[in-house]
Amino acid sequence: MPVDSAREQFVENLFALHFQSLLKYGSLLIGYDRQFYHCVEECVQETLVAAFQAYEHLQVHPNVLGWLRITLENRIKHRIKKERNMLRRHQ
């Protein structure tokens, strides 16, 4: 199997296995605040793109779900901070 095909299959499997739980985890991180729910969806997608890019690393990673959650958490924190700063500037 070519590397790109294997990489794509790997991320498709991650999506199938963890997409819903990552959405729930992200929602929990924002306190189920509807104002930022769109950020959660985007950050989950960005996390899966990051997994695609980190394919070689994740192939040997002992805790892929932990890696996904930490990556998602960092992305959400960054995005929420950025959005809150923009909201403050426009008030």
Side-chain angles (χ1 to χ4, degrees):
M1 180 181 288
V3 174
D4 285 343
S5 179
R7 182 186 300 247
E8 289 171 7
Q9 185 62 49
F10 177 76
V11 173
E12 286 176 15
N13 289 340
L14 290 178
F15 180 87
L17 290 170
H18 302 298
F19 184 75
Q20 289 300 321
S21 68
L22 290 172
L23 281 177
K24 288 178 186 176
Y25 181 65
S27 296
L28 184 94
L29 291 172
I30 63 163
Y32 297 95
D33 186 340
R34 289 185 180 267
Q35 177 182 8
F36 296 113
Y37 190 74
H38 68 282
C39 293
V40 172
E41 292 175 333
E42 291 171 7
C43 289
V44 168
Q45 292 174 6
E46 290 172 8
T47 297
L48 292 169
V49 169
F52 182 85
Q53 295 167 340
Y55 170 71
E56 289 83 10
H57 173 70
L58 292 177
Q59 287 294 287
V60 296
H61 198 283
N63 184 2
V64 175
L65 179 57
W67 185 93
L68 290 169
R69 286 183 174 178
I70 289 170
T71 302
L72 176 61
E73 186 174 339
N74 290 336
R75 289 180 183 276
I76 287 174
K77 285 179 182 178
H78 176 74
R79 179 71 63 85
I80 297 299
K81 182 178 178 181
K82 184 177 176 182
E83 293 225 0
R84 283 185 176 148
N85 286 338
M86 285 177 46
L87 288 171
R88 282 187 199 119
R89 280 189 234 132
H90 291 105
Q91 288 181 350

